[in-house]
Amino acid sequence: MSYSNPLPPMPGRPLAYWLDSDMARTAPQASTSALRDMAWIYGQWRGLAGAATGLGIALLGGGLLALSTMTSAIALWLSLILAGLALLATSILIRVLKLPQIPRSQRPMASRAPQKFSSGVSLTILVTLAVGLPTAFAISGWLAQGPVPAFSFVAVCLLFVLGTISSFALPAYYAENARRDFRRHIDRNAAMRSELENLSTTWRDARGDRNFGPL
């Protein structure tokens, strides 16, 4: 992330001033502010929660499928179900514990994850082709073994695609639209807006000359 500051220090401004759409257009997209840092963190946590949800559903679905078709493979279906439940619990914890704490989060660290939705989609397609196609080919014999194995084949393919989309495309979408989504979150969440309104008039950059906004 870039930490350039194109605006002179303007402390004490109310939140409404920084949320004004004209103010947001004035500052270059590459510039930063406290609100933009919060939006970036918000997008990263939402992306992680979304990935955990999608992967959790995929693993849980795979575990239930294994349980119904390979009852004797206890280690397989049990590990998949437990991993899926753990990821779903992680997603819930992020939404409950992390998202409400966004105004009190530290300045974000750099991320190597895709920050553009198009990049996330490209990575999803690449992984699907590189890993999903060989896997599908390896189990394609299930299609000739009757309705239940054929259904299992389709289910495994769909769950794999769900996992790759959740891992790469979804976090990239949240990252690309973090500022827009954080603005909407502020508008919908009265407690968050009240906290930011109080913070906007007292906030000072302890390590530079950034402003509280714009978003």
Side-chain angles (χ1 to χ4, degrees), residues 65 69 141-155:
L65 181 64
T69 58
W142 294 0
L143 292 171
Q145 296 177 12
V148 174
F151 171 80
S152 298
F153 173 83
V154 174

Side-chain angles (χ1 to χ4, degrees), residues 8-172:
M10 292 185 287
R13 303 281 177 151
L15 180 65
Y17 176 84
W18 294 121
L19 292 181
D20 183 82
S21 57
D22 291 334
M23 173 57 66
R25 284 191 292 268
T26 299
Q29 288 297 308
S31 66
T32 188
S33 67
L35 282 174
R36 287 184 173 183
D37 281 357
M38 292 177 198
W40 191 90
I41 298 170
Y42 179 73
Q44 296 299 301
W45 279 119
R46 288 189 77 203
L48 182 58
T53 299
L55 281 173
I57 292 173
L59 291 175
L60 181 60
L64 294 176
L65 181 64
L67 174 61
S68 62
T69 58
M70 297 181 290
T71 309
S72 60
I74 299 176
L76 174 63
W77 58 257
L78 183 60
S79 60
L80 289 174
I81 289 175
L82 290 177
L85 292 175
L87 285 171
L88 291 174
T90 299
S91 174
I92 293 173
L93 289 175
I94 289 173
R95 290 182 168 89
V96 172
L97 300 179
K98 290 297 184 179
L99 295 186
Q101 300 294 323
I102 294 299
R104 296 177 290 282
S105 299
Q106 298 297 317
R107 177 178 287 186
M109 300 293 288
S111 172
R112 296 184 181 274
Q115 300 299 300
K116 295 291 184 181
F117 181 58
S118 58
S119 299
V121 171
S122 298
L123 192 55
T124 298
I125 294 173
L126 177 63
V127 173
T128 300
L129 293 176
V131 181
L133 280 184
T135 301
F137 179 77
I139 63 174
S140 60
W142 294 0
L143 292 171
Q145 296 177 12
V148 174
F151 171 80
S152 298
F153 173 83
V154 174
V156 168
C157 292
L158 291 177
L159 290 171
F160 182 85
V161 172
L162 173 62
T164 55
I165 291 174
S166 301
S167 298
F168 305 112
L170 189 60

